[in-house]
Amino acid sequence: MGDSQGRAAEGHGSPAAAVFDALGAEYERAFAASAAHRESLERLLAGLAPGSRVLDVGSGTGRPTAQTLADAGHRVLGVDVSPVMTALAARQVPGAEFRCADIRDFPLAEGEFDAVCVYFSLLQLERGEQTDLLERLVRSLRPGGLLVAATVPVDVAGVDAVFMGQPVRVSSFGAEEFTTLVVRAGVAVEWTHSALFTPDHPAGEPEPHFFAHGRRI
């Protein structure tokens, strides 16, 4: 399920920091081969001016998103709810800045970013929270700024599931409804892509991925 604000929360507050450090690395390996994520990042890079300010929501281990953007010379701020994931990202991607915080409470100024990435980081938020957060994130973009949002496009609300051996509670939208949410938040959608990906993990199962790219109107 890619970089994740929500899933990282599974480790929040746990004293077993070493366990979640290991999970972070395991998590990164499981999704490293996602060609669709890489294609999405390449499309984002192609639309960014040099030295753009980019917010990575649910930055996880910092790879591939923050690292790819930082290596291209962009100024990246990653926000993740897990202190262990945040520390791991800071070690792995020293060219970016990372903050341990819940994005729902994180202060966002109007128009402060040239791009916002939300790769699979909405899934453990309630549907209403996802809608509200998307609107806040779009407002944090400058006019014409780029939004990239990715999700697992299933029509579920508050469903219990297991991800990489961890119990999770998931809410999401189908691809068409998710695209509508992005549009209603104030984005002109320019490209969407659907893919099926199987994480490289013993408990990995094929899961649909959906990517939406657009610009703040």
Side-chain angles (χ1 to χ4, degrees):
M1 295 185 186
D3 299 357
S4 178
Q5 165 83 7
R7 282 184 300 274
E10 292 303 309
H12 186 63
S14 169
V19 172
F20 291 102
D21 269 321
L23 178 60
E26 185 179 12
Y27 172 86
E28 181 180 313
R29 286 192 299 270
F31 287 85
S34 173
H37 194 154
R38 297 285 179 178
E39 180 182 358
S40 172
L41 283 170
E42 289 299 323
R43 283 182 172 270
L44 174 59
L45 287 173
L48 289 175
S52 288
R53 179 73 165 151
V54 184
L55 174 64
D56 181 13
V57 178
S59 42
T61 67
R63 297 174 177 167
T65 303
Q67 183 176 60
T68 299
L69 291 163
D71 286 353
H74 300 296
R75 295 170 294 145
V76 182
L77 172 62
V79 178
D80 199 287
V81 74
S82 165
V84 173
M85 287 283 199
T86 305
L88 181 59
R91 291 199 300 271
Q92 295 193 142
V93 192
E97 178 186 359
F98 296 94
R99 302 276 186 85
C100 180
D102 188 322
I103 192 63
R104 291 171 293 184
D105 304 322
F106 194 77
L108 297 169
E110 175 80 24
E112 68 175 307
F113 296 104
D114 299 298
V116 173
C117 301
V118 198
Y119 283 109
F120 306 102
S121 49
L122 301 174
L123 292 162
Q124 284 192 36
L125 302 182
E126 298 295 334
R127 282 179 159 188
E129 292 177 320
Q130 294 186 36
T131 300
D132 293 344
L133 179 57
L134 278 171
E135 292 175 354
R136 286 186 65 228
L137 293 174
V138 171
R139 289 196 298 271
S140 77
L141 283 167
R142 63 168 177 78
L146 303 176
L147 177 76
V148 179
T151 192
V152 175
V154 290
D155 185 14
V156 296
V159 171
D160 291 322
V162 176
F163 174 73
M164 290 180 65
Q166 299 293 322
V168 295
R169 191 168 180 83
V170 176
S171 295
S172 190
F173 302 88
E176 185 175 340
E177 191 173 3
F178 187 74
T179 303
T180 298
L181 285 182
V182 172
V183 170
R184 287 177 178 167
V187 170
V189 174
E190 299 176 339
W191 182 77
T192 61
H193 178 66
S194 296
L196 192 66
F197 181 72
T198 302
D200 182 11
H201 185 268
E205 297 181 357
E207 58 183 48
H209 289 174
F210 179 74
F211 300 81
H213 287 229
R215 296 178 184 271
R216 180 181 178 180
I217 298 170

